[in-house]
Amino acid sequence: MTTIRIAAIQAASRAASFADKWQGADVAHALELLDRAAAQGATLACFPELYPLVGEAELCGRARALGMHVIAGLADGQPGRWHNTSVIISPQGRIVGRQTKNHPTAGEVDNGVVAGDTFQVFETELGRFGIVICADFAFFTDGVEACRKGNADIIFNPAVWFALAEAYPHTVAGRHLEYSVPVIGVNVARPEKSRSDSTFPPAGGFTTVCVPPPVTDMDELWAWFRTRPEGIDSTRGFVHTLGAGEDMIVVDVDVDAVRRFPGYFSSRVTERSQAA
């Protein structure tokens, strides 16, 4: 059994402006957050989109020191022309995957972001990971479809929702129900202080993680729904959501169980019709 303990880190930026992020304002705090995740037994930690933006060497060094995988939001390029990417760092401190954002917003394009053009599924020692960054996940289907066709075991959605963050859990849960794989949706935390930088709005929160139940067929799934202590309509235990401030969700994902999960929908008539 391959079980991954994942820390979805809803990080609060220490930067007063986006220019501060380019100067490394969030790097030291990112390392502190990795230490906190490791203290909770995480074998993989995922940061939001654009977090910490720079600090590749420092992150690789801390991943190596902690012996954990890290997914971090890093710029690939320089101010004026750069790719918005999320990288996978191995426990050996090496970058083993880099996914671009392929549908940047108008504000990002104005800020120098260049669109990528490929979605990948990355083979790691923990499993097959897909990364679909922010709007690529919420407003387009090509990224998630590529992850499913590539048999991704887990889809990560590092995000910066610059408005309507309370809708973020519904987006993550909807994609999870549609594609039936774990979705690790990691939004940036809402800042405690207001900011005036229009490229760095004071919004965020509501990181959401969805993990399917450990069942292998539709009858087991129906039994799982019917016997939940919280009631059949409760999402407790497989949809986890934070509030607005800095925090992290730590969940265990059994990759073998994920690969056996049948999905949430079947047109086959079973004992469910008799129990109705």
Side-chain angles (χ1 to χ4, degrees), residues 51-264:
Y51 194 91
L53 188 71
V54 298
E56 180 177 309
E58 293 89 340
L59 291 169
C60 287
R62 190 57 55 92
R64 183 171 58 251
L66 296 173
M68 69 191 305
H69 284 80
V70 175
I71 296 177
L74 295 177
D76 184 14
Q78 299 297 323
R81 184 175 176 81
W82 53 287
H83 286 285
N84 175 351
T85 77
S86 284
V87 303
I88 303 173
I89 304 171
S90 75
Q92 293 74 40
R94 296 192 297 269
I95 291 182
V96 295
R98 186 184 295 271
Q99 177 61 58
T100 56
K101 187 172 187 177
N102 296 344
H103 302 286
T105 65
E108 287 179 293
V109 173
D110 292 343
N111 199 23
V113 175
V114 178
D117 59 9
T118 303
F119 290 102
Q120 303 178 68
V121 172
F122 302 96
E123 292 279 353
T124 76
E125 59 192 67
L126 297 178
R128 298 183 293 268
F129 297 160
I131 302 174
V132 187
I133 300 172
C134 200
D136 289 6
F137 179 88
F139 299 103
F140 302 89
T141 60
D142 51 341
V144 181
E145 291 286 356
C147 290
R148 291 298 293 129
K149 290 178 181 177
N151 294 315
D153 297 312
I154 303 172
I155 297 175
F156 293 88
N157 175 228
V160 173
W161 272 50
F162 55 80
L164 299 176
E166 291 184 10
Y168 185 57
H170 306 287
T171 302
V172 174
R175 289 291 199 205
H176 169 66
L177 291 171
E178 182 178 7
Y179 290 95
S180 301
V181 297
V183 177
I184 313 299
V186 189
N187 196 18
V188 69
R190 184 182 300 166
E192 295 181 0
K193 298 180 180 179
S194 63
R195 291 191 292 248
S196 59
D197 187 344
S198 62
T199 64
F200 196 32
F206 306 100
T207 284
T208 299
V209 170
C210 299
V211 180
V215 301
T216 60
D217 60 43
M218 298 304 294
D219 293 317
E220 286 184 9
L221 179 62
W222 180 234
W224 183 83
F225 280 130
R226 287 188 294 129
T227 58
R228 289 173 52 71
E230 304 86 359
I232 196 169
D233 290 321
S234 174
T235 60
R236 182 178 299 177
F238 76 111
V239 178
H240 311 263
T241 300
L242 294 177
E246 183 171 274
D247 203 348
M248 67 178 70
I249 298 171
V250 179
V251 295
D252 292 327
V253 177
D254 180 343
V255 174
D256 296 326
V258 167
R259 292 174 179 175
R260 294 192 300 268
F261 183 64
Y264 288 104

Side-chain angles (χ1 to χ4, degrees), residues 16-52:
S17 67
F18 205 78
D20 287 345
K21 289 179 68 68
W22 278 107
Q23 297 303 313
D26 287 329
V27 175
H29 188 52
L31 301 180
E32 294 172 358
L33 290 169
L34 289 179
D35 290 342
R36 294 183 203 174
Q40 296 188 56
T43 51
L44 185 154
C46 181
F47 284 118
E49 177 188 19
L50 303 174
Y51 194 91

